[in-house]
Amino acid sequence: MSIIGLLITGVFALLFLSAAVAPLESLGWYAGWFGDMEAEDEPRPQTPPSGVDAEASAPAHFLIYLSGIGAIAPNSIPDEEIPFIEGLRQTLPGTYVISDLFPYSVTNMGLTGQRVTARIWRWIEQLRLKNPAAVAAFLVNLRNVFQVATSADLRYGPIYNLGVAREMRHSLIRHGYRLGSGVPVTLLGWSGGGQIALGSGWYLPGMIGAPVRVISLGGVMSDDVGIERVARLWHLWGQDDPLAPLGHWLYPGRWKIFPASSWNRALAAGKIVLVPLGPYTHNGKGNYFDNETTLPGGETHMQYALSKVKQALVEAGLVSPPPG
Amino acid sequence: MIEYLWSVWRAIRLGLRLQPDVVQLAEAYPHATAVAFGVVVVAGVSLLAGQSVILFLNQVKPRRFVVSLLINGLMLAAGWAVWSAAIWGIGRWLFTETPRFSLVLRLIGLSYAPLAFGFLILMPYLGPFLQRFLYTWSFLIALRAVAYTFHVSFWPALICVGLGWLLLMALTATIGRPVVTVRNRLWRRLTGAPLNASARDMLQQFALDQSAPPASKGDEP
């Protein structure tokens, strides 16, 4: 075999091997190999400053932002997403926006956390800081894509999504959410985060005793049963985005020929709202976070996406409508 | 030991294609049966690794996990011996060629070679497709092995393998029942899961056991 042939075989072998070991993190967590899932401490809520009435100051709505497959750790996400998250905080008064969740791990442990491979990921993180388009940074995407596929897989999804839902619950409590208060929660998942949001939607409503809604921003989603337990799903998608329709092609439950699937029943019941955004791409210029490319109305792609998120939440009665 | 493992790896590579010259090798190589045994055990270990979600769901600890993989390898080897005997008996009954049992055993052992990659069934999304592909590949190699050993074409080989499968089913349902019961008990004791339990069934039940969602607030349908 020639050197090129060996290289190609090696790359494919590594790819297949990486995919095969992808579910082991969540499976091992469930089996108690990596920490005891039953013995995890209940997080302590942040106490409000003295003199502040906790009831009165409590937000009326919580939104958890789930980053795309470029995320390395809860505090290390691609730069382009940061202004969008800030935009959410400014656009949605009365909504507490949480963005400290790493959806590609059942324990919320970032790739640069206490892992055997942490040094490699830290090195890649440094490379990406210098050059966001570095080839090595693609490894982060690849690793996280396999976790998205794990979440969507019928064999592993129930375990993976349980882990992430628990981390969501922990995060909510850390940020002052009172369990049983019934305060609604919305999960906003970008790209692969859309699938994780939908999958976790099976467990989270029961865990917090409140309705959960999902907003997918260019999300790649399967026909996950989570759709049965979320109150509503808005799918915001760009017409020039080749990745957002991937879920439709890859998962038969989303095909029209299976009208009894969870997805199609939810679609028929009006539970899934499809929101076309315009000529958005998934990556690069013209993507969902692009704050320079403008639409015919004069708004940038990011501004318009934010306005559509707000519109959805206003229609659901979760956010106050703009005055006037 | 390393030499043996190397021989098993070479046998797996040979088995994947099962060219006619493999028959001569299987006949002439002094430790061919031991190597074929290695191929089948590796296949058993790898297959269960690929379907190990059932073990993780039962929260099997690492040591028990490894033992379960090895036991599955040995169980597959036992099945290989019975399967080979069924093929050998039916082949001798159907065809004029009368090969030695050891040759049939060795070549059928090589037909397990694709299953050595069974650990790849773990892959999300692609895993179940790959599982079907590997089993089909293994079945086609078994057909080829029968065709070579009994010097017959595809269709008679298919009839032989089909009848062998029917014989095994009949044996399992009759005189083989105590053996199957012992095997299932051993398995349940090791892993805590029924041998024929579907991971999907368990997961669905597990998901259903979680608390139901609260009623939706607001103006939702």
Side-chain angles (χ1 to χ4, degrees):
Chain A
M1 195 184 283
S2 68
I3 292 179
I4 294 173
L6 264 176
L7 266 176
I8 293 172
T9 311
V11 167
F12 270 95
L14 270 178
L15 201 65
F16 275 62
L17 209 61
S18 311
V21 298
L24 292 182
E25 184 180 332
S26 46
L27 293 176
W29 161 78
Y30 183 77
W33 289 20
F34 317 123
D36 186 357
M37 71 167 276
E38 298 300 336
E40 283 172 24
D41 291 334
E42 190 76 355
R44 290 186 175 189
Q46 287 174 351
T47 47
S50 56
V52 174
D53 181 359
E55 289 270 343
S57 63
H61 173 227
F62 280 76
L63 184 142
I64 301 179
Y65 176 79
L66 304 176
S67 184
I69 54 168
I72 290 180
N75 54 1
S76 177
I77 59 173
D79 287 343
E80 62 179 7
E81 295 176 42
I82 295 167
F84 182 81
I85 298 169
E86 281 312 309
L88 287 172
R89 291 198 170 104
Q90 288 163 14
T91 318
L92 307 173
T95 293
Y96 191 106
V97 178
I98 297 173
S99 60
D100 64 355
L101 212 92
F102 180 61
Y104 305 104
S105 161
V106 287
T107 55
N108 200 26
M109 187 196 285
L111 302 181
T112 50
Q114 292 175 334
R115 293 170 182 266
V116 181
T117 52
R119 285 180 72 174
I120 300 170
W121 296 116
R122 274 197 285 272
W123 173 69
I124 292 174
E125 189 182 29
Q126 291 305 314
L127 278 180
R128 197 171 73 174
L129 281 174
K130 288 176 195 158
N131 174 20
V135 176
F138 176 71
L139 292 175
V140 175
N141 296 31
L142 194 67
R143 185 263 171 204
N144 290 343
V145 157
F146 291 146
Q147 298 304 314
V148 174
T150 301
S151 163
D153 193 295
L154 285 172
R155 297 168 296 170
Y156 315 126
I159 288 178
Y160 186 91
N161 298 327
L162 171 70
V164 178
R166 281 166 61 103
E167 288 305 324
M168 286 174 176
R169 178 178 173 274
H170 286 181
S171 180
L172 283 164
I173 296 171
R174 274 201 307 273
H175 288 280
Y177 186 91
R178 285 184 304 108
L179 296 177
S181 63
V183 171
V185 172
T186 301
L187 308 175
L188 194 160
W190 148 240
S191 189
Q195 164 56 37
I196 313 277
L198 190 58
S200 312
W202 176 266
Y203 298 104
L204 194 61
M207 282 181 178
I208 60 172
V212 171
R213 295 167 178 84
V214 172
I215 298 176
S216 141
L217 188 66
V220 180
M221 293 172 290
S222 73
D223 51 336
D224 203 290
V225 289
I227 190 64
E228 292 180 16
R229 288 192 173 183
V230 299
R232 183 163 279 198
L233 163 69
W234 294 273
H235 177 47
L236 280 58
W237 57 285
Q239 278 94 326
D240 292 344
D241 178 353
L243 297 184
L246 261 186
H248 175 77
W249 296 113
L250 293 177
Y251 294 93
R254 289 190 55 182
W255 300 350
K256 282 182 181 171
I257 54 167
F258 298 112
S261 72
S262 299
W263 179 276
N264 284 327
R265 277 188 284 122
L267 200 61
K271 202 176 188 182
I272 300 173
V273 184
L274 302 174
V275 185
L277 291 174
Y280 283 46
T281 58
H282 201 81
N283 296 306
K285 190 173 165 55
N287 71 10
Y288 297 78
F289 307 113
D290 188 338
N291 210 15
E292 290 174 1
T293 306
T294 52
L295 292 162
E299 287 176 296
T300 65
H301 278 202
M302 190 179 87
Q303 286 167 342
Y304 187 66
L306 283 169
S307 73
K308 283 293 175 185
V309 169
K310 181 168 186 173
Q311 188 185 332
L313 296 176
V314 166
E315 282 169 13
L318 300 172
V319 171
S320 309
Chain B
M1 185 65 185
I2 291 173
E3 196 184 332
Y4 174 71
L5 289 175
W6 180 244
S7 303
V8 169
W9 171 240
R10 278 181 56 206
I12 288 170
R13 289 179 59 187
L14 277 171
L16 291 176
R17 283 188 292 176
L18 203 75
Q19 302 292 353
D21 52 343
V22 175
V23 181
Q24 278 84 46
L25 267 173
E27 271 184 319
Y29 190 68
H31 307 296
T33 307
V35 171
F37 172 78
V39 172
V40 180
V41 170
V42 166
V45 168
S46 184
L47 267 181
L48 184 58
Q51 296 161 335
S52 55
V53 63
I54 198 86
L55 299 177
F56 284 109
L57 273 174
N58 281 282
Q59 302 187 316
V60 168
K61 297 297 167 209
R63 206 171 146 184
R64 236 178 167 192
F65 185 89
V66 173
V67 173
S68 302
L69 296 186
L70 289 173
I71 294 283
N72 197 58
L74 295 175
M75 274 166 55
L76 199 71
W80 157 57
V82 178
W83 173 235
S84 302
I87 296 278
W88 178 69
I90 288 175
R92 283 171 71 100
W93 174 59
L94 280 178
F95 312 124
T96 50
E97 192 76 23
T98 53
R100 282 182 295 122
F101 173 65
S102 59
L103 180 65
V104 176
L105 187 73
R106 290 166 185 179
L107 288 180
I108 291 292
L110 290 182
S111 76
Y112 285 75
L115 305 182
F117 296 96
F119 67 94
L120 291 173
I121 296 169
L122 264 176
M123 278 196 295
Y125 190 75
L126 286 178
F129 298 106
L130 189 79
Q131 182 178 4
R132 289 182 187 100
F133 173 74
L134 291 177
Y135 274 109
T136 308
W137 191 357
S138 171
F139 176 75
L140 290 174
I141 295 173
L143 275 183
R144 217 166 174 181
V146 170
Y148 287 155
T149 31
F150 292 97
H151 295 111
V152 292
S153 62
F154 176 81
W155 292 109
L158 185 65
I159 291 168
C160 179
V161 171
L163 286 175
W165 182 78
L166 282 177
L167 179 67
L168 273 188
M169 290 295 107
L171 285 174
T172 307
T174 53
I175 56 170
R177 283 181 85 108
V179 180
V180 173
T181 307
V182 169
R183 182 196 66 177
N184 290 353
R185 272 194 193 156
L186 176 71
W187 181 260
R188 186 183 269 277
R189 195 156 175 187
L190 269 169
T191 66
L195 183 64
N196 56 356
S198 148
R200 189 180 296 181
D201 291 346
M202 289 181 69
L203 285 168
Q204 275 175 353
Q205 187 55 46
F206 171 77
L208 287 169
D209 286 345
Q210 297 295 310
S211 52
S216 175
K217 285 185 176 179
D219 56 354
E220 305 300 322

